[in-house]
Amino acid sequence: MLAIIGGSGLAQLPVLEVTHRQVVRTPYGDPSCALTYGKLAGQNVVFIARHGYGHSLAPHEINYRANLWALHNQGVKGVIAIGTVGGIRPDMAPGRLVVPHDIIDYSWGRKHTYFEGPERPVVHAEFTSPYDHALRQRLLDAIKATGISGVRDGVYACTQGPRLESAAEILKLERDGADIVGMTGMPEAALARELALPYAHLCLVSNWAAGKGRQTQVEFDPAVAAKSVEALMRTLEACFA
Ligand code: HPA
């Protein structure tokens, strides 16, 4: 069984045939919300809304450790994380789907490891390639099968938020090598790695990053948003078919 973590605007998965919900507690506190079980294209899936059902949790308030631990505890074999991002690279236009291949983490002050405290060993998780190769390939194949214009690679910059970036900050991220920017990709990917859970990110570009386009606000153009969410759903269906 695979897990799906839904991001902004995806507190529910329209393509999921829900069978039941389960409240889970963890040694790290409560996850963002109850886990939703169901079938997607006939396959068992467990879903969690990263920001909670009512989108009540800001990126820095999310208990990433509890969310990943809860999913791991259900015995999932991998995690497909969905998130919206701002586009930095010229081909990362609003509406695009991107499957990033690498990460730069600019977030701070988040509980970002399971390996801390007196009872825990010091472990340095290997993170050269943050995303799972096979799971990324599955997403890329699904995008291809649906004929949607996706982008095969990209470096994901994770900022702290909840505010958006300044134009100068985006230029700095660009000089650093970042192609897209979001606020929730870390420590999620690293915690998945610590749990040895294959993890891949399916990103939806919702806006041009600050200074990169005329529209700077994070509000998604409703017409583009509707089309993109539809593309995302078709991609997920193809991924599980
Ligand atoms: N910056 C950071 N996070 C985001 C953005 C952005 O422009 N758009 C969606 N998530």
Side-chain angles (χ1 to χ4, degrees), residues 21-43:
R21 294 202 162 83
Q22 193 181 335
V23 174
V24 176
R25 298 238 147 82
T26 83
Y28 302 96
D30 292 338
S32 299
C33 56
L35 303 183
T36 302
Y37 285 81
K39 286 204 183 283
L40 206 168
Q43 308 235 25

Side-chain angles (χ1 to χ4, degrees), residues 149-170:
S149 67
V151 185
R152 297 192 59 80
D153 62 0
V155 174
Y156 177 106
C158 184
T159 56
Q160 174 69 356
R163 70 163 175 84
L164 290 162
E165 300 74 31
S166 69
E169 284 171 334
I170 291 299

Side-chain angles (χ1 to χ4, degrees), residues 84-87 159 163-165 170 181-183 204 206-210 216 218:
T84 52
V85 292
T159 56
R163 70 163 175 84
L164 290 162
E165 300 74 31
I170 291 299
V181 54
M183 299 175 188
L204 176 55
S206 57
N207 58 286
W208 286 112
T216 51
V218 80

Side-chain angles (χ1 to χ4, degrees), residues 6-11 50-51 55 82-84:
S8 293
L10 259 196
R50 188 186 282 118
H51 296 276
H55 201 287
I82 300 170
T84 52

Side-chain angles (χ1 to χ4, degrees), residues 107-241:
S107 70
W108 48 270
R110 303 180 180 186
K111 295 274 188 198
H112 64 287
T113 179
Y114 295 107
F115 298 116
E116 64 179 11
E119 307 291 316
R120 305 285 302 179
V122 175
V123 173
H124 303 288
E126 155 68 3
F127 208 51
T128 307
S129 300
Y131 300 113
D132 181 72
H133 178 74
L135 214 44
R136 279 192 75 237
Q137 197 53 52
R138 198 163 151 179
L139 287 173
L140 290 168
D141 290 346
I143 290 175
K144 201 167 166 192
T146 52
I148 292 157
S149 67
V151 185
R152 297 192 59 80
D153 62 0
V155 174
Y156 177 106
C158 184
T159 56
Q160 174 69 356
R163 70 163 175 84
L164 290 162
E165 300 74 31
S166 69
E169 284 171 334
I170 291 299
L171 285 177
K172 172 191 173 343
L173 300 191
E174 189 172 31
R175 284 194 299 272
D176 282 356
D179 301 311
I180 47 177
V181 54
M183 299 175 188
T184 55
M186 287 292 281
E188 202 171 83
L191 290 165
R193 180 57 55 84
E194 285 190 353
L195 294 171
L197 265 182
Y199 178 99
H201 210 163
L202 180 56
C203 297
L204 176 55
V205 183
S206 57
N207 58 286
W208 286 112
K212 289 292 172 190
R214 266 166 295 154
Q215 153 237 16
T216 51
Q217 77 277 39
V218 80
E219 297 323 319
F220 211 168
D221 175 337
V224 181
K227 253 181 86 184
S228 309
V229 170
E230 178 57 32
L232 199 79
M233 292 308 127
R234 273 191 285 136
T235 302
L236 286 177
E237 278 173 336
C239 188
F240 285 88

